[in-house]
Amino acid sequence: MNNLFPPTPVSAVPVADGSAQFPIHRIYCVGRNYAEHAREMGADPSREPPFFFCKPADAAVPVPVGQTLQLPYPSQTANFHHEVELVVAIGKSGSDITVERALDHVYGYAVGLDMTRRDLQAKMCEGRLPWEISKAFDRSAPIAPLHPVAQCGHPSKVGIWLQVNGKDKQRSNTEHLIWSVPETVAHLSRFFELQAGDLIFTGTPAGVSAVLRGDTIEGGIDGLGTIKAKIV
């Protein structure tokens, strides 16, 4: 049967060595997964079960190595925030995955930005309403090329940072994740059957702040390179 209109192309992230592309199935994000960030957001950083929200696959914007993404300031917000994150790429499907086997399902890792309409998020939280309009908007998930595990290993204790106009805003280490990558993958797989092509944004460290038109954001994770965007 014919489609009524041409289907939307599959969103994909290039692999760092240029050998292939990683087609995106879903994007999952972990909320408040660094204690200091939880505190700056007014939340209790105790080790309660992780919670998740989603972004559409086409919210991902690949940013090639050495290039600067021209990232439009989104509509309906006056408080646009950066969040640099370690991104996990799932390469093997599964559900009810154990913590001990979770890393077997990981294809690789990347640097990503979870861009946020913070004022809309606060408004939604006040009304106990879903976060989608604050988190799942167009181009809200810039992402650098993926590094396969075979090349980068599993970055469990590496530096993560972000600068705005050359000044430090976020600087931490992935060892400070409240829920580690294996724990996050295992927990998420209890609620969803993870598929090859899923991306998991694992949470951001403290230091999130507003950016304005004309600002340049650059973030990085040791061993995974950097990502750069200019707000336009």
Side-chain angles (χ1 to χ4, degrees):
M1 186 176 294
N2 293 329
N3 293 316
L4 289 174
F5 46 83
T8 302
V10 174
S11 298
V13 182
V15 177
D17 63 7
S19 62
Q21 290 203 112
F22 181 90
I24 302 171
H25 176 245
R26 291 178 180 169
I27 300 175
Y28 300 97
C29 304
V30 188
R32 299 195 294 259
N33 203 22
Y34 286 80
E36 289 303 316
H37 174 58
R39 291 189 185 99
E40 74 179 351
M41 298 302 293
D44 181 355
S46 61
R47 195 174 151 88
E48 296 179 351
F51 71 92
F52 302 89
F53 57 92
C54 293
K55 293 176 182 272
D58 62 3
V61 187
V63 184
V65 174
Q67 295 190 23
T68 300
L69 172 68
Q70 302 295 298
L71 183 62
Y73 195 100
S75 63
Q76 304 301 314
T77 184
N79 197 15
F80 187 37
H81 277 212
H82 58 75
E83 298 187 12
V84 64
E85 308 204 5
L86 172 67
V87 181
V88 178
I90 298 298
K92 177 184 175 182
S93 302
S95 57
D96 293 319
I97 300 167
T98 65
V99 172
E100 294 75 19
R101 300 306 301 269
L103 294 182
D104 296 342
H105 293 259
V106 176
Y107 168 77
Y109 298 89
V111 186
L113 299 174
D114 170 17
M115 303 304 294
T116 303
R117 291 162 159 158
R118 191 69 71 199
D119 45 359
L120 297 186
Q121 184 185 33
K123 184 177 180 180
M124 294 301 102
C125 288
E126 288 173 5
R128 298 189 177 185
L129 298 172
W131 282 5
E132 272 77 2
I133 62 171
S134 69
K135 288 286 193 178
F137 54 93
D138 297 340
R139 303 171 69 85
S140 61
I143 184 170
L146 288 173
H147 293 257
V149 168
Q151 297 175 10
C152 71
H154 295 286
S156 60
K157 295 183 179 181
V158 295
I160 179 171
W161 56 272
L162 183 138
Q163 296 180 331
V164 178
N165 300 327
K167 297 181 179 179
D168 271 11
K169 293 294 183 178
Q170 296 181 269
R171 191 166 291 275
S172 187
N173 193 292
T174 58
E175 69 177 327
H176 299 309
L177 285 165
I178 297 172
W179 293 91
S180 69
V181 169
E183 291 170 330
T184 296
V185 171
H187 192 84
L188 183 60
S189 75
R190 293 168 53 193
F191 299 93
F192 300 90
E193 182 177 357
L194 297 182
Q195 300 290 332
D198 287 341
L199 297 176
I200 305 173
F201 281 61
T202 59
T204 197
V208 299
S209 63
V211 290
L212 304 173
R213 291 175 180 85
D215 285 346
T216 297
I217 304 170
E218 185 169 13
I221 297 174
D222 294 349
L224 299 179
T226 62
I227 187 170
K228 193 172 184 179
K230 183 173 182 178
I231 310 302
V232 297

